[in-house]
């Protein structure tokens, strides 16, 4: 199987269809949470593999889901900054160097905290 990240980037329509199926599953099953239920993952895997003639497995799909969540959390943080700094026409954030440094510091603190938590568990 090809690199799943490149597959989602290079296969026209795959990323959009992935999101569409996820939304359909969430709407159909009326649940809230941070992930899909097993039946939803099975449908996602089956539908995408048939529609795009791929061989994506559950792990590749879950990794893509997690990657999208990370990107969304970063976007949400940046978008919530005072002054609504996101420019939807350009797709860029109009931030000063100081704003970017604040973002990187907050992200670094968050990641360090999460990693330390998991080290304590193991």
């Amino acid at each position: 199987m090809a690199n799943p990240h490149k597959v989602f980037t290079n296969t026209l329509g795959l990323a959009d269809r992935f999101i569409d199926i996820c939304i359909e599953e969430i709407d159909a099953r009326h649940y809230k949470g941070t992930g899909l239920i097993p039946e939803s993952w099975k449908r996602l895997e089956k539908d995408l593999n048939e529609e795009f003639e791929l061989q994506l497995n559950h792990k590749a799909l879950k990794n893509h889901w997690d990657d999208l969540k990370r990107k969304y959390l970063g976007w949400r943080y940046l978008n919530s900054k005072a002054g609504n700094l996101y420019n939807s026409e350009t797709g860029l954030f109009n931030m000063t160097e100081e704003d970017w440094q604040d973002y990187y510091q907050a992200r670094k603190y968050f990641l360090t905290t999460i990693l330390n938590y998991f080290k304590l568990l193991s």
Side-chain angles (χ1 to χ4, degrees):
M1 179 177 67
N3 183 334
H5 295 293
K6 291 182 181 179
V7 169
F8 278 99
T9 304
N10 295 334
T11 305
L12 185 63
L14 178 60
D16 290 338
R17 187 67 180 125
F18 176 90
I19 293 171
D20 290 342
I21 293 172
C22 291
I23 291 171
E24 289 170 12
E25 284 298 305
I26 290 169
D27 288 345
R29 299 182 188 279
H30 305 289
Y31 66 92
K32 296 179 183 177
T34 60
L36 300 176
I37 60 175
E39 292 82 11
S40 297
W41 285 113
K42 287 176 187 172
R43 177 194 167 204
L44 188 63
E45 185 175 342
K46 178 183 169 288
D47 288 2
L48 291 178
N49 285 332
E50 287 177 3
E51 187 173 337
F52 293 93
E53 298 178 0
L54 299 170
Q55 294 178 345
L56 295 169
N57 59 24
H58 174 81
K59 182 178 180 183
L61 297 173
K62 179 72 166 86
N63 286 343
H64 187 63
W65 172 275
D66 292 340
D67 185 51
L68 288 176
K69 274 195 328 190
R70 281 189 294 276
K71 288 177 181 176
Y72 171 73
L73 291 173
W75 177 86
R76 190 175 72 181
Y77 171 83
L78 292 172
N79 199 38
S80 69
K81 297 283 289 176
N84 196 11
L85 302 171
Y86 181 70
N87 183 336
S88 60
E89 292 177 11
T90 64
L92 301 173
F93 288 92
N94 302 320
M95 292 174 54
T96 66
E97 185 63 32
E98 184 179 319
D99 290 332
W100 282 112
Q101 290 303 320
D102 289 346
Y103 168 71
Y104 290 126
Q105 288 299 322
R107 184 170 177 239
K108 183 179 177 182
Y109 173 77
F110 173 74
L111 291 174
T112 303
T113 304
I114 293 295
L115 289 174
N116 287 336
Y117 174 74
F118 284 116
K119 285 179 187 175
L120 290 174
L121 291 178
S122 52

